mmCIF file of all heavy atoms in Angstrom:
data_model
loop_
_atom_site.group_PDB
_atom_site.id
_atom_site.type_symbol
_atom_site.label_atom_id
_atom_site.label_comp_id
_atom_site.label_asym_id
_atom_site.label_seq_id
_atom_site.Cartn_x
_atom_site.Cartn_y
_atom_site.Cartn_z
ATOM 1 N N ALA B 63 -19.023 27.041 18.195
ATOM 2 C CA ALA B 63 -19.745 27.659 19.298
ATOM 3 C C ALA B 63 -19.034 27.326 20.595
ATOM 4 O O ALA B 63 -18.188 26.423 20.648
ATOM 5 C CB ALA B 63 -21.191 27.164 19.333
ATOM 6 N N VAL B 64 -19.364 28.062 21.641
ATOM 7 C CA VAL B 64 -18.704 27.920 22.939
ATOM 8 C C VAL B 64 -19.761 27.999 24.025
ATOM 9 O O VAL B 64 -20.702 28.775 23.922
ATOM 10 C CB VAL B 64 -17.646 29.047 23.107
ATOM 11 C CG1 VAL B 64 -17.293 29.226 24.558
ATOM 12 C CG2 VAL B 64 -16.401 28.749 22.283
ATOM 13 N N VAL B 65 -19.628 27.145 25.066
ATOM 14 C CA VAL B 65 -20.459 27.303 26.270
ATOM 15 C C VAL B 65 -19.539 27.311 27.483
ATOM 16 O O VAL B 65 -18.408 26.819 27.424
ATOM 17 C CB VAL B 65 -21.488 26.147 26.434
ATOM 18 C CG1 VAL B 65 -22.566 26.216 25.370
ATOM 19 C CG2 VAL B 65 -20.795 24.793 26.419
ATOM 20 N N ALA B 66 -20.025 27.882 28.574
ATOM 21 C CA ALA B 66 -19.249 27.887 29.811
ATOM 22 C C ALA B 66 -19.139 26.458 30.321
ATOM 23 O O ALA B 66 -20.080 25.676 30.221
ATOM 24 C CB ALA B 66 -19.931 28.772 30.855
ATOM 25 N N LYS B 67 -17.980 26.106 30.868
ATOM 26 C CA LYS B 67 -17.763 24.732 31.284
ATOM 27 C C LYS B 67 -18.691 24.331 32.434
ATOM 28 O O LYS B 67 -19.201 23.207 32.466
ATOM 29 C CB LYS B 67 -16.309 24.564 31.731
ATOM 30 C CG LYS B 67 -15.848 23.122 31.739
ATOM 31 C CD LYS B 67 -14.347 23.084 31.916
ATOM 32 C CE LYS B 67 -13.782 21.717 31.646
ATOM 33 N NZ LYS B 67 -12.321 21.724 31.686
ATOM 34 N N ASP B 68 -18.937 25.250 33.341
ATOM 35 C CA ASP B 68 -19.802 24.883 34.462
ATOM 36 C C ASP B 68 -21.283 25.126 34.160
ATOM 37 O O ASP B 68 -22.139 24.789 34.965
ATOM 38 C CB ASP B 68 -19.362 25.609 35.747
ATOM 39 C CG ASP B 68 -19.091 27.076 35.504
ATOM 40 O OD1 ASP B 68 -19.242 27.502 34.351
ATOM 41 O OD2 ASP B 68 -18.742 27.799 36.455
ATOM 42 N N HIS B 69 -21.596 25.698 33.013
ATOM 43 C CA HIS B 69 -23.000 25.834 32.600
ATOM 44 C C HIS B 69 -23.161 25.375 31.159
ATOM 45 O O HIS B 69 -23.529 26.169 30.288
ATOM 46 C CB HIS B 69 -23.472 27.291 32.712
ATOM 47 C CG HIS B 69 -23.628 27.757 34.111
ATOM 48 N ND1 HIS B 69 -24.569 27.255 34.982
ATOM 49 C CD2 HIS B 69 -22.924 28.682 34.811
ATOM 50 C CE1 HIS B 69 -24.452 27.847 36.141
ATOM 51 N NE2 HIS B 69 -23.450 28.715 36.087
ATOM 52 N N PRO B 70 -22.884 24.092 30.892
ATOM 53 C CA PRO B 70 -22.936 23.636 29.484
ATOM 54 C C PRO B 70 -24.327 23.773 28.882
ATOM 55 O O PRO B 70 -24.472 23.827 27.661
ATOM 56 C CB PRO B 70 -22.506 22.171 29.568
ATOM 57 C CG PRO B 70 -22.718 21.776 30.987
ATOM 58 C CD PRO B 70 -22.548 23.006 31.811
ATOM 59 N N ASP B 71 -25.372 23.840 29.738
ATOM 60 C CA ASP B 71 -26.723 23.969 29.202
ATOM 61 C C ASP B 71 -27.131 25.439 29.068
ATOM 62 O O ASP B 71 -28.242 25.741 28.660
ATOM 63 C CB ASP B 71 -27.715 23.214 30.103
ATOM 64 C CG ASP B 71 -27.526 23.552 31.564
ATOM 65 O OD1 ASP B 71 -26.499 24.205 31.884
ATOM 66 O OD2 ASP B 71 -28.379 23.164 32.393
ATOM 67 N N GLY B 72 -26.217 26.342 29.418
ATOM 68 C CA GLY B 72 -26.513 27.771 29.306
ATOM 69 C C GLY B 72 -26.439 28.234 27.868
ATOM 70 O O GLY B 72 -26.301 27.421 26.962
ATOM 71 N N PRO B 73 -26.547 29.545 27.660
ATOM 72 C CA PRO B 73 -26.553 30.060 26.289
ATOM 73 C C PRO B 73 -25.222 29.789 25.583
ATOM 74 O O PRO B 73 -24.169 29.853 26.206
ATOM 75 C CB PRO B 73 -26.779 31.564 26.478
ATOM 76 C CG PRO B 73 -26.377 31.843 27.883
ATOM 77 C CD PRO B 73 -26.657 30.597 28.662
ATOM 78 N N ARG B 74 -25.300 29.462 24.299
ATOM 79 C CA ARG B 74 -24.070 29.230 23.542
ATOM 80 C C ARG B 74 -23.723 30.461 22.725
ATOM 81 O O ARG B 74 -24.597 31.104 22.160
ATOM 82 C CB ARG B 74 -24.190 27.988 22.649
ATOM 83 C CG ARG B 74 -25.363 27.958 21.725
ATOM 84 C CD ARG B 74 -25.327 26.731 20.798
ATOM 85 N NE ARG B 74 -25.651 25.469 21.475
ATOM 86 C CZ ARG B 74 -25.840 24.310 20.846
ATOM 87 N NH1 ARG B 74 -25.720 24.248 19.536
ATOM 88 N NH2 ARG B 74 -26.111 23.220 21.514
ATOM 89 N N SER B 75 -22.421 30.789 22.716
ATOM 90 C CA SER B 75 -21.969 31.862 21.839
ATOM 91 C C SER B 75 -21.566 31.235 20.520
ATOM 92 O O SER B 75 -20.791 30.287 20.493
ATOM 93 C CB SER B 75 -20.751 32.575 22.427
ATOM 94 O OG SER B 75 -20.957 32.827 23.793
ATOM 95 N N VAL B 76 -22.130 31.759 19.442
ATOM 96 C CA VAL B 76 -21.934 31.146 18.130
ATOM 97 C C VAL B 76 -21.043 32.045 17.272
ATOM 98 O O VAL B 76 -21.261 33.247 17.195
ATOM 99 C CB VAL B 76 -23.297 30.929 17.428
ATOM 100 C CG1 VAL B 76 -23.102 30.350 16.039
ATOM 101 C CG2 VAL B 76 -24.175 30.029 18.280
ATOM 102 N N SER B 77 -20.041 31.437 16.650
ATOM 103 C CA SER B 77 -19.138 32.185 15.775
ATOM 104 C C SER B 77 -19.679 32.207 14.359
ATOM 105 O O SER B 77 -20.488 31.367 13.977
ATOM 106 C CB SER B 77 -17.760 31.517 15.790
ATOM 107 O OG SER B 77 -16.999 31.921 14.679
ATOM 108 N N THR B 78 -19.213 33.150 13.566
ATOM 109 C CA THR B 78 -19.597 33.175 12.155
ATOM 110 C C THR B 78 -18.863 32.096 11.364
ATOM 111 O O THR B 78 -19.251 31.756 10.253
ATOM 112 C CB THR B 78 -19.259 34.543 11.517
ATOM 113 O OG1 THR B 78 -17.919 34.886 11.864
ATOM 114 C CG2 THR B 78 -20.200 35.610 12.006
ATOM 115 N N LEU B 79 -17.805 31.553 11.955
ATOM 116 C CA LEU B 79 -16.971 30.569 11.263
ATOM 117 C C LEU B 79 -17.684 29.209 11.193
ATOM 118 O O LEU B 79 -18.225 28.740 12.197
ATOM 119 C CB LEU B 79 -15.663 30.440 12.038
ATOM 120 C CG LEU B 79 -14.491 29.715 11.386
ATOM 121 C CD1 LEU B 79 -13.975 30.509 10.200
ATOM 122 C CD2 LEU B 79 -13.381 29.508 12.410
ATOM 123 N N THR B 80 -17.666 28.564 10.036
ATOM 124 C CA THR B 80 -18.235 27.214 9.933
ATOM 125 C C THR B 80 -17.125 26.205 9.658
ATOM 126 O O THR B 80 -16.171 26.499 8.944
ATOM 127 C CB THR B 80 -19.275 27.110 8.800
ATOM 128 O OG1 THR B 80 -18.651 27.469 7.575
ATOM 129 C CG2 THR B 80 -20.462 27.988 9.042
ATOM 130 N N CYS B 81 -17.276 25.034 10.268
ATOM 131 C CA CYS B 81 -16.275 23.979 10.149
ATOM 132 C C CYS B 81 -16.975 22.630 10.117
ATOM 133 O O CYS B 81 -18.143 22.519 10.475
ATOM 134 C CB CYS B 81 -15.322 23.969 11.352
ATOM 135 S SG CYS B 81 -14.515 25.541 11.642
ATOM 136 N N LEU B 82 -16.229 21.602 9.724
ATOM 137 C CA LEU B 82 -16.745 20.231 9.742
ATOM 138 C C LEU B 82 -16.269 19.496 10.985
ATOM 139 O O LEU B 82 -16.965 18.614 11.507
ATOM 140 C CB LEU B 82 -16.278 19.493 8.493
ATOM 141 C CG LEU B 82 -16.798 20.130 7.204
ATOM 142 C CD1 LEU B 82 -15.964 19.727 6.007
ATOM 143 C CD2 LEU B 82 -18.256 19.756 6.994
ATOM 144 N N ARG B 83 -15.066 19.810 11.438
ATOM 145 C CA ARG B 83 -14.505 19.289 12.687
ATOM 146 C C ARG B 83 -13.688 20.404 13.301
ATOM 147 O O ARG B 83 -13.068 21.181 12.577
ATOM 148 C CB ARG B 83 -13.580 18.098 12.438
ATOM 149 C CG ARG B 83 -14.249 16.837 11.964
ATOM 150 C CD ARG B 83 -14.918 16.095 13.120
ATOM 151 N NE ARG B 83 -15.370 14.776 12.706
ATOM 152 C CZ ARG B 83 -16.494 14.534 12.040
ATOM 153 N NH1 ARG B 83 -17.307 15.521 11.729
ATOM 154 N NH2 ARG B 83 -16.827 13.306 11.688
ATOM 155 N N VAL B 84 -13.655 20.468 14.631
ATOM 156 C CA VAL B 84 -12.868 21.511 15.288
ATOM 157 C C VAL B 84 -12.110 20.931 16.470
ATOM 158 O O VAL B 84 -12.472 19.876 17.017
ATOM 159 C CB VAL B 84 -13.754 22.669 15.809
ATOM 160 C CG1 VAL B 84 -14.474 23.330 14.668
ATOM 161 C CG2 VAL B 84 -14.746 22.184 16.847
ATOM 162 N N TYR B 85 -11.045 21.608 16.886
ATOM 163 C CA TYR B 85 -10.338 21.304 18.117
ATOM 164 C C TYR B 85 -9.532 22.540 18.480
ATOM 165 O O TYR B 85 -9.316 23.430 17.659
ATOM 166 C CB TYR B 85 -9.412 20.085 17.965
ATOM 167 C CG TYR B 85 -9.039 19.483 19.301
ATOM 168 C CD1 TYR B 85 -9.961 18.730 20.024
ATOM 169 C CD2 TYR B 85 -7.782 19.715 19.864
ATOM 170 C CE1 TYR B 85 -9.642 18.207 21.256
ATOM 171 C CE2 TYR B 85 -7.449 19.187 21.099
ATOM 172 C CZ TYR B 85 -8.385 18.430 21.793
ATOM 173 O OH TYR B 85 -8.066 17.919 23.013
ATOM 174 N N ALA B 86 -9.074 22.597 19.705
ATOM 175 C CA ALA B 86 -8.269 23.746 20.124
ATOM 176 C C ALA B 86 -7.403 23.353 21.294
ATOM 177 O O ALA B 86 -7.716 22.427 22.043
ATOM 178 C CB ALA B 86 -9.164 24.922 20.501
ATOM 179 N N GLY B 87 -6.267 24.031 21.441
ATOM 180 C CA GLY B 87 -5.375 23.832 22.580
ATOM 181 C C GLY B 87 -4.368 24.967 22.614
ATOM 182 O O GLY B 87 -3.890 25.405 21.564
ATOM 183 N N GLY B 88 -4.066 25.482 23.818
ATOM 184 C CA GLY B 88 -3.036 26.504 23.973
ATOM 185 C C GLY B 88 -3.239 27.728 23.100
ATOM 186 O O GLY B 88 -2.272 28.312 22.602
ATOM 187 N N GLY B 89 -4.477 28.119 22.881
ATOM 188 C CA GLY B 89 -4.737 29.332 22.112
ATOM 189 C C GLY B 89 -4.660 29.148 20.602
ATOM 190 O O GLY B 89 -4.744 30.107 19.845
ATOM 191 N N THR B 90 -4.505 27.905 20.165
ATOM 192 C CA THR B 90 -4.535 27.620 18.724
ATOM 193 C C THR B 90 -5.750 26.739 18.437
ATOM 194 O O THR B 90 -6.012 25.795 19.180
ATOM 195 C CB THR B 90 -3.270 26.851 18.286
ATOM 196 O OG1 THR B 90 -2.129 27.644 18.598
ATOM 197 C CG2 THR B 90 -3.286 26.552 16.793
ATOM 198 N N GLY B 91 -6.457 27.049 17.376
ATOM 199 C CA GLY B 91 -7.596 26.212 17.000
ATOM 200 C C GLY B 91 -7.363 25.597 15.637
ATOM 201 O O GLY B 91 -6.566 26.096 14.838
ATOM 202 N N THR B 92 -8.046 24.481 15.381
ATOM 203 C CA THR B 92 -8.036 23.924 14.027
ATOM 204 C C THR B 92 -9.477 23.756 13.575
ATOM 205 O O THR B 92 -10.353 23.433 14.376
ATOM 206 C CB THR B 92 -7.342 22.548 13.955
ATOM 207 O OG1 THR B 92 -7.896 21.693 14.954
ATOM 208 C CG2 THR B 92 -5.842 22.671 14.177
ATOM 209 N N CYS B 93 -9.686 23.996 12.316
ATOM 210 C CA CYS B 93 -11.026 23.927 11.727
ATOM 211 C C CYS B 93 -10.885 23.207 10.393
ATOM 212 O O CYS B 93 -10.251 23.709 9.480
ATOM 213 C CB CYS B 93 -11.551 25.352 11.527
ATOM 214 S SG CYS B 93 -12.932 25.525 10.395
ATOM 215 N N LEU B 94 -11.409 21.987 10.319
ATOM 216 C CA LEU B 94 -11.412 21.277 9.045
ATOM 217 C C LEU B 94 -12.644 21.746 8.297
ATOM 218 O O LEU B 94 -13.749 21.699 8.829
ATOM 219 C CB LEU B 94 -11.466 19.760 9.253
ATOM 220 C CG LEU B 94 -10.371 19.147 10.128
ATOM 221 C CD1 LEU B 94 -10.491 17.622 10.116
ATOM 222 C CD2 LEU B 94 -8.987 19.551 9.663
ATOM 223 N N ARG B 95 -12.455 22.225 7.081
ATOM 224 C CA ARG B 95 -13.609 22.788 6.377
ATOM 225 C C ARG B 95 -13.454 22.633 4.883
ATOM 226 O O ARG B 95 -12.386 22.305 4.369
ATOM 227 C CB ARG B 95 -13.780 24.253 6.740
ATOM 228 C CG ARG B 95 -12.594 25.112 6.335
ATOM 229 C CD ARG B 95 -12.854 26.552 6.684
ATOM 230 N NE ARG B 95 -11.767 27.410 6.195
ATOM 231 C CZ ARG B 95 -11.778 28.725 6.290
ATOM 232 N NH1 ARG B 95 -12.792 29.347 6.870
ATOM 233 N NH2 ARG B 95 -10.771 29.436 5.811
ATOM 234 N N GLN B 96 -14.550 22.931 4.211
ATOM 235 C CA GLN B 96 -14.584 22.870 2.759
ATOM 236 C C GLN B 96 -13.750 23.998 2.197
ATOM 237 O O GLN B 96 -13.708 25.090 2.736
ATOM 238 C CB GLN B 96 -16.028 23.045 2.310
ATOM 239 C CG GLN B 96 -16.266 22.580 0.930
ATOM 240 C CD GLN B 96 -17.291 21.478 0.932
ATOM 241 O OE1 GLN B 96 -18.126 21.446 1.820
ATOM 242 N NE2 GLN B 96 -17.244 20.609 -0.030
ATOM 243 N N ASP B 97 -13.094 23.711 1.073
ATOM 244 C CA ASP B 97 -12.237 24.699 0.442
ATOM 245 C C ASP B 97 -12.894 25.037 -0.886
ATOM 246 O O ASP B 97 -12.727 24.342 -1.878
ATOM 247 C CB ASP B 97 -10.861 24.042 0.252
ATOM 248 C CG ASP B 97 -9.885 24.951 -0.441
ATOM 249 O OD1 ASP B 97 -10.228 26.125 -0.634
ATOM 250 O OD2 ASP B 97 -8.789 24.482 -0.770
ATOM 251 N N GLY B 98 -13.662 26.120 -0.908
ATOM 252 C CA GLY B 98 -14.385 26.453 -2.131
ATOM 253 C C GLY B 98 -15.650 25.630 -2.251
ATOM 254 O O GLY B 98 -16.030 24.910 -1.337
ATOM 255 N N ALA B 99 -16.309 25.746 -3.395
ATOM 256 C CA ALA B 99 -17.630 25.138 -3.545
ATOM 257 C C ALA B 99 -17.544 23.635 -3.775
ATOM 258 O O ALA B 99 -18.445 22.900 -3.440
ATOM 259 C CB ALA B 99 -18.358 25.781 -4.720
ATOM 260 N N LEU B 100 -16.452 23.166 -4.368
ATOM 261 C CA LEU B 100 -16.383 21.754 -4.728
ATOM 262 C C LEU B 100 -15.771 20.956 -3.587
ATOM 263 O O LEU B 100 -15.365 21.503 -2.567
ATOM 264 C CB LEU B 100 -15.602 21.585 -6.025
ATOM 265 C CG LEU B 100 -16.248 22.357 -7.178
ATOM 266 C CD1 LEU B 100 -15.481 22.141 -8.454
ATOM 267 C CD2 LEU B 100 -17.695 21.967 -7.363
ATOM 268 N N SER B 101 -15.711 19.652 -3.783
ATOM 269 C CA SER B 101 -15.357 18.846 -2.621
ATOM 270 C C SER B 101 -13.852 18.704 -2.445
ATOM 271 O O SER B 101 -13.298 17.633 -2.536
ATOM 272 C CB SER B 101 -16.032 17.487 -2.691
ATOM 273 O OG SER B 101 -15.845 16.921 -3.949
ATOM 274 N N THR B 102 -13.191 19.813 -2.208
ATOM 275 C CA THR B 102 -11.835 19.772 -1.680
ATOM 276 C C THR B 102 -11.894 20.408 -0.299
ATOM 277 O O THR B 102 -12.805 21.179 -0.003
ATOM 278 C CB THR B 102 -10.847 20.525 -2.574
ATOM 279 O OG1 THR B 102 -11.331 21.848 -2.746
ATOM 280 C CG2 THR B 102 -10.696 19.843 -3.918
ATOM 281 N N PHE B 103 -10.913 20.078 0.515
ATOM 282 C CA PHE B 103 -10.988 20.487 1.911
ATOM 283 C C PHE B 103 -9.675 21.128 2.361
ATOM 284 O O PHE B 103 -8.662 21.057 1.664
ATOM 285 C CB PHE B 103 -11.306 19.276 2.782
ATOM 286 C CG PHE B 103 -12.614 18.634 2.444
ATOM 287 C CD1 PHE B 103 -12.678 17.606 1.518
ATOM 288 C CD2 PHE B 103 -13.790 19.092 3.021
ATOM 289 C CE1 PHE B 103 -13.884 17.023 1.182
ATOM 290 C CE2 PHE B 103 -15.010 18.518 2.690
ATOM 291 C CZ PHE B 103 -15.056 17.480 1.767
ATOM 292 N N GLN B 104 -9.710 21.757 3.523
ATOM 293 C CA GLN B 104 -8.504 22.343 4.083
ATOM 294 C C GLN B 104 -8.568 22.305 5.600
ATOM 295 O O GLN B 104 -9.648 22.176 6.178
ATOM 296 C CB GLN B 104 -8.316 23.788 3.602
ATOM 297 C CG GLN B 104 -9.465 24.688 4.002
ATOM 298 C CD GLN B 104 -9.237 26.166 3.663
ATOM 299 O OE1 GLN B 104 -9.608 27.026 4.423
ATOM 300 N NE2 GLN B 104 -8.632 26.443 2.509
ATOM 301 N N ILE B 105 -7.389 22.409 6.216
ATOM 302 C CA ILE B 105 -7.372 22.623 7.651
ATOM 303 C C ILE B 105 -6.974 24.073 7.862
ATOM 304 O O ILE B 105 -5.929 24.522 7.395
ATOM 305 C CB ILE B 105 -6.422 21.641 8.381
ATOM 306 C CG1 ILE B 105 -6.368 21.970 9.868
ATOM 307 C CG2 ILE B 105 -5.018 21.623 7.794
ATOM 308 C CD1 ILE B 105 -5.675 20.905 10.719
ATOM 309 N N ALA B 106 -7.860 24.824 8.523
ATOM 310 C CA ALA B 106 -7.572 26.214 8.831
ATOM 311 C C ALA B 106 -7.017 26.262 10.249
ATOM 312 O O ALA B 106 -7.611 25.714 11.174
ATOM 313 C CB ALA B 106 -8.840 27.052 8.722
ATOM 314 N N ILE B 107 -5.858 26.895 10.394
ATOM 315 C CA ILE B 107 -5.261 27.079 11.723
ATOM 316 C C ILE B 107 -5.747 28.422 12.241
ATOM 317 O O ILE B 107 -5.576 29.450 11.575
ATOM 318 C CB ILE B 107 -3.714 27.081 11.625
ATOM 319 C CG1 ILE B 107 -3.215 25.872 10.815
ATOM 320 C CG2 ILE B 107 -3.103 27.156 13.006
ATOM 321 C CD1 ILE B 107 -3.354 24.546 11.504
ATOM 322 N N LEU B 108 -6.382 28.400 13.418
ATOM 323 C CA LEU B 108 -7.014 29.609 13.945
ATOM 324 C C LEU B 108 -6.170 30.199 15.084
ATOM 325 O O LEU B 108 -5.609 29.459 15.892
ATOM 326 C CB LEU B 108 -8.401 29.286 14.499
ATOM 327 C CG LEU B 108 -9.323 28.475 13.581
ATOM 328 C CD1 LEU B 108 -10.601 28.104 14.316
ATOM 329 C CD2 LEU B 108 -9.631 29.279 12.317
#
Side-chain angles (χ1 to χ4, degrees):
Chain B
V64 161
V65 291
K67 199 169 192 174
D68 46 0
H69 289 294
D71 48 349
R74 54 175 73 172
S75 315
V76 177
S77 161
T78 48
L79 193 67
T80 58
C81 305
L82 298 160
R83 291 282 189 280
V84 299
Y85 199 74
T90 301
T92 51
C93 162
L94 304 186
R95 62 178 185 176
Q96 198 120 28
D97 178 8
L100 301 182
S101 48
T102 55
F103 299 91
Q104 60 174 218
I105 176 169
I107 310 289
L108 310 174

